[in-house]
Each structure stands twice: as structure tokens, then as C-alpha cells.
Amino acid sequence: MARRGGELEAFIAFLGGLLAVTLTAVAMTVLHVMPRPEPPLRAAALVTLGVVWLTVTVTLYLRLRARPDGRTR
């Protein structure tokens, strides 16, 4: 039976992106980038976190998306 949609893949990709952002934020905190930085550095850190989340989420979704024959990439 073929499964349609992509809700499971989207949810897994969302969680993967969330995990990547969390790990990146922890790494930034350890490197003292996040705690009380200057405004430009804080803005750059937030942009970096946004880019990491978007990139990982889209990449995971595209990798997990089911092919028409039922296989994954």
C-alpha cells in the first residue's frame, strides 16, 4: 500500500531543524557568542540560527520525501 502526503517527513524535518538550531545555539553559548553580545553580533547570531533551521529542515524534507515508487532518497 502506497502512502501519500508528506506529513511524517515534514514533521521529522521540522524536528531535525529544531535539533540543529538547538545544538548551534548551545555551541554559540559555549563560544560566548550569545550571552549579552553587541547588537550587530546578536543580529548575526539570530540570522545564523534562522539560516541553519531553514537549511536543515528543507534538506531533510527533500531527502525524506517519498518517491512515487515508494522508496526514499
Side-chain angles (χ1 to χ4, degrees), residues 16-58:
L18 197 59
L19 177 64
V21 166
T22 303
L23 292 175
T24 304
V26 168
M28 287 179 167
T29 302
V30 168
L31 296 174
H32 302 292
V33 174
M34 291 296 280
R36 298 188 191 129
E38 299 296 320
L41 187 59
R42 180 177 170 89
L46 291 176
V47 167
T48 301
L49 291 175
V51 168
V52 166
W53 178 80
L54 184 62
T55 303
V56 170
T57 301
V58 169

